[in-house]
Amino acid sequence: MTDLSKYRNIGIFAHVDAGKTTTTERILKLTGKIHKTGEVHDGESTTDFMEQEAERGITIQSAAITTFWKDHRMNVIDTPGHVDFTVEVYRSLKVLDGGIGVFCGSGGVEPQSETNWRYADESGVSRIIFVNKLDRLGADFLKVVEQIENVLAAKPLVMTLPIGREDDFVGVVDILSKKAYVWDDTGLPENFEVKDVPADMVDDVDMYHEQLIETAVEQDDDLMMAYMEGEVPSIEEIKRCIRKGTLELAFFPTYCGSAFKNKGIQLILDAVVDYLPSPTEVVPQDLTDELGEPTGQVATVSVDEPFRALAFKIMDDRFGALTFIRIYSGKLKKGDTILNSFTGKTERIGRMCEMEADERKELESAQAGDIIAIVGMKNVQTGHTLCDPKHECTLEAMVFPEPVISIAVEPKDKGGAEKMGLAIGKMVAEDPTFLVHTDEDSGQTILRGMGELHLDIKVDILKRTYGVDLIVGEPQVAYRETITKEIEDSYTHKKQSGGSGQFGKIDYRIKPGEPNSGFTFTSTVVGGNVPKEFIIYSIDRYRRPIFSFKT
């Protein structure tokens, strides 16, 4: 059983193309999880395993993977950067304890960076910052730091400075230890030397070192008083203060490097261990009642507490339905019976696994702090609470944005209708921002999503994964006419079918009513030959009035 203090549940989030997946790939290589790095542009990265991700070079769904660094267990989630898949970032941050915000060295703070940062603020997630791609043309580390201050209203704490710029970027200086980390031209992350600070950077490093200490000791009054009296704190004391400030969101340790060129990633991993929280150090999740109101109780992160977990992601893969859960307290073993507090139904745990992107590692048990997947659960949706049947509870629910764009679809052949219905049902369960309904007026099947790319990916998945070819078009608008002025008219019914035949004449008057008052039918027939029970009034499927006579 792993000590909870050595757990790190972290997410990597940023604007599209800032280098999240490349950073994740380098982390996996350095920690020994993989032995060959796969590049995003080649479609070979570990966490971008969907065909659509490999082809487009973007992350579409968040992927979880577990690795180890310096005896610490890291559950890492690589999240998408495109605005259409923001829900993946939101639900990942909901269950994570810490995060790495990646910013492009030349692009700086981009729109989706702001959105993700706001989500992290709302979730109270501690973060470190990684300014990536400093080997790129136009990259400027200090300019990005300034943007983070001005645009995000955040306080970056500069922990490293780049050595060289753009093509001449060769390494970083660790401000805390005043040591330079310089990599050679082989591109291997292990091939670096620890040197003295370059002569032309000594003054800048001294200045930032002083700023670092001043900011850090603000977290400890005794240490600050000693520092003001001329006593220099030790590196361990400074690290303790930096950790405290990071957990309290007072500032965000900020690093620089180039993930693609394998420069600076070791320092990021050290920072995750040194400064980001373990599951026991974050504010516990609130427990709520049936209406979502806080009960005053919290889900204390402890192995000794009753079992509590949140289902934060549903995924259907080639082996069956997977339910990703974050365990907040207690233990879970194969064969245990747990309660879904939303549906009130119990389920028996068959298979549990630790996800390695799209690969599975079977587990016999799991505990508080773990992020795992359970195979074959029924009637569980994103945001449902799973708990000990003897200790029923509800964790704080997830709220998802409403879809903003729609398309109309229909299968190319009649046989595809049933397949389409089953496939879309599975996809709706996976993605809370992907909805489907049938338009009553037009009879069309309408898919709703967060953007054109979002829906394009869904149609592509339907075709490749489920074998459903679709005709895609725009939703039809049902135009309705209304009465604008009063008119009088008559209609004569004649029908000769042998015998006496049928004949009837009606005079009618139509005039507009009050808006939204519906249809009102009044018979003013006086002394006619047609009995009242034979006069019928109804509305057709388009809500048009029908007047007829029984014969």
Side-chain angles (χ1 to χ4, degrees):
M1 185 179 293
T2 309
D3 179 3
L4 277 178
S5 66
K6 294 186 179 296
Y7 269 67
R8 297 292 183 271
N9 291 318
I10 62 169
I12 300 178
F13 58 91
H15 187 86
V16 65
D17 203 34
K20 299 176 301 302
T21 302
T22 303
T23 301
T24 306
E25 195 76 5
R26 285 352 185 231
I27 287 174
L28 298 181
K29 176 67 168 64
L30 272 172
T31 56
K33 192 69 183 180
I34 59 176
H35 302 291
K36 178 182 180 296
T37 51
E39 303 301 348
V40 173
H41 53 265
D42 294 330
E44 295 177 353
S45 62
T46 306
T47 51
D48 284 355
F49 52 83
M50 291 174 61
E51 291 179 5
Q52 292 80 7
E53 292 176 317
E55 289 175 359
R56 290 168 171 81
I58 61 171
T59 303
I60 293 170
Q61 65 175 12
S62 54
I65 199 159
T66 302
T67 189
F68 291 83
W69 180 257
K70 293 186 175 178
D71 297 326
H72 283 68
R73 176 193 177 101
M74 293 185 185
N75 294 316
V76 183
I77 295 184
D78 176 30
T79 64
H82 199 284
V83 65
D84 286 15
F85 310 106
T86 302
V87 65
E88 292 287 333
V89 181
Y90 170 76
R91 62 182 174 186
S92 296
L93 286 171
K94 183 76 175 174
V95 299
L96 292 171
D97 305 321
I100 302 174
V102 182
F103 296 86
C104 176
S106 57
V109 178
E110 297 168 285
Q112 197 60 19
S113 306
E114 292 185 62
T115 302
N116 295 339
W117 194 265
R118 187 175 70 250
Y119 280 150
D121 281 341
E122 291 171 0
S123 300
V125 174
S126 302
R127 281 146 279 169
I128 59 176
I129 294 171
F130 176 44
V131 180
N132 190 24
K133 299 190 176 184
L134 289 185
D135 58 316
R136 220 178 190 187
L137 186 66
D140 188 332
F141 172 64
L142 295 179
K143 184 178 179 182
V144 177
V145 169
E146 186 180 342
Q147 283 186 350
I148 291 168
E149 290 179 320
N150 297 333
V151 179
L152 302 179
K155 186 176 182 180
L157 180 65
V158 176
M159 302 293 292
T160 60
L161 287 175
I163 302 173
R165 295 184 61 173
E166 299 175 355
D167 289 342
D168 297 326
F169 175 68
V170 294
V172 299
V173 174
D174 180 10
I175 300 294
L176 190 56
S177 63
K178 290 189 177 181
K179 293 293 182 182
Y181 292 73
V182 180
W183 280 262
D184 60 22
D185 296 328
T186 61
L188 297 174
E190 304 87 358
N191 291 2
F192 68 92
E193 291 182 58
V194 180
K195 302 181 177 180
D196 292 330
V197 176
D200 60 340
M201 294 183 66
V202 169
D203 291 342
D204 285 341
V205 170
D206 287 341
M207 179 184 72
Y208 279 101
H209 182 76
E210 188 175 338
Q211 289 180 7
L212 173 63
I213 295 176
E214 289 175 357
T215 304
V217 296
E218 287 176 0
Q219 302 298 316
D220 187 315
D221 291 341
D222 293 338
L223 212 57
M224 183 168 66
M225 292 301 295
Y227 179 68
M228 291 174 68
E229 292 172 3
E231 187 178 327
V232 180
S234 67
I235 287 182
E236 287 71 25
E237 289 174 324
I238 297 171
K239 281 187 173 182
R240 176 174 55 79
C241 290
I242 294 173
R243 182 179 183 80
K244 182 173 183 289
T246 304
L247 300 190
E248 294 178 357
L249 308 182
F251 47 72
F252 304 93
T254 302
Y255 294 80
C256 61
S258 168
F260 183 64
K261 296 291 180 66
N262 288 299
K263 295 172 182 174
I265 304 300
Q266 285 94 334
L267 296 173
I268 296 290
L269 285 167
D270 288 342
V272 169
V273 169
D274 290 338
Y275 307 129
L276 290 184
S278 70
T280 58
E281 292 174 305
V282 297
V283 177
Q285 284 275 328
D286 287 325
L287 297 179
T288 64
D289 58 20
E290 294 177 354
L291 300 176
E293 297 296 327
T295 60
Q297 295 178 304
V298 295
T300 304
V301 178
S302 169
V303 178
D304 301 320
E305 290 280 317
F307 174 75
R308 301 184 186 101
L310 184 70
F312 69 94
K313 181 180 172 69
I314 311 295
M315 189 174 83
D316 194 69
D317 72 359
R318 63 188 186 277
F319 300 115
L322 292 173
T323 303
F324 285 79
I325 68 168
R326 160 70 194 269
I327 303 176
Y328 285 100
S329 63
K331 303 173 187 175
L332 186 65
K333 300 190 295 293
K334 285 177 69 173
D336 284 354
T337 297
I338 60 174
L339 172 71
N340 182 338
S341 64
F342 184 85
T343 62
K345 296 180 179 179
T346 57
E347 297 208 35
R348 193 167 183 270
I349 302 300
R351 293 169 58 202
M352 301 187 301
C353 49
E354 186 180 277
M355 294 304 295
E356 311 291 356
D358 60 339
E359 300 296 327
R360 303 178 182 186
K361 177 184 174 184
E362 294 287 334
L363 297 174
E364 293 297 319
S365 63
Q367 66 169 38
D370 281 336
I371 294 176
I372 65 167
I374 301 176
V375 183
M377 296 195 79
K378 300 174 183 176
N379 304 316
V380 177
Q381 295 181 3
T382 300
H384 285 186
T385 299
L386 306 174
C387 59
D388 184 335
K390 296 178 182 177
H391 299 85
E392 185 174 350
C393 67
T394 303
L395 291 162
E396 194 176 31
M398 294 181 173
V399 180
F400 299 105
E402 283 292 314
V404 296
I405 193 170
S406 302
I407 58 172
V409 297
E410 61 179 274
K412 286 187 176 179
D413 54 77
K414 291 182 180 179
E418 186 176 349
K419 285 172 65 179
M420 180 183 79
L422 292 172
I424 289 177
K426 291 180 180 179
M427 293 167 67
V428 168
E430 291 179 12
D431 187 348
T433 60
F434 176 60
L435 301 179
V436 62
H437 74 276
T438 301
D439 188 279
E440 291 184 3
D441 292 330
S442 66
Q444 290 181 308
T445 299
I446 307 297
L447 303 185
R448 300 172 61 209
M450 300 304 294
E452 291 182 9
L453 178 62
H454 187 202
L455 292 176
D456 182 43
I457 296 291
K458 297 300 183 186
V459 171
D460 195 43
I461 291 172
L462 280 166
K463 181 178 180 180
R464 294 198 202 185
T465 306
Y466 297 102
V468 180
D469 270 342
L470 296 178
I471 299 171
V472 180
E474 296 179 356
Q476 294 178 2
V477 177
Y479 293 101
R480 298 190 180 116
E481 295 180 343
T482 189
I483 306 301
T484 57
K485 63 181 180 179
E486 183 176 331
I487 65 161
E488 289 188 14
D489 202 356
S490 64
Y491 173 74
T492 301
H493 171 75
K494 293 180 182 179
K495 187 173 182 181
Q496 188 69 41
S497 58
S500 60
Q502 298 175 356
F503 179 85
K505 184 173 183 295
I506 181 173
D507 297 314
Y508 60 88
R509 180 186 298 114
I510 299 175
K511 62 180 180 180
E514 291 297 319
N516 300 317
S517 63
F519 299 108
T520 304
F521 175 72
T522 306
S523 174
T524 57
V525 176
V526 179
N529 292 325
V530 181
K532 288 183 179 180
E533 60 266 24
F534 284 90
I535 300 175
I536 302 170
Y537 160 66
S538 63
I539 299 174
D540 70 3
R541 65 187 289 262
Y542 297 106
R543 299 196 61 79
R544 297 178 302 203
I546 301 170
F547 304 105
S548 62
F549 294 96
K550 278 186 179 179
T551 56

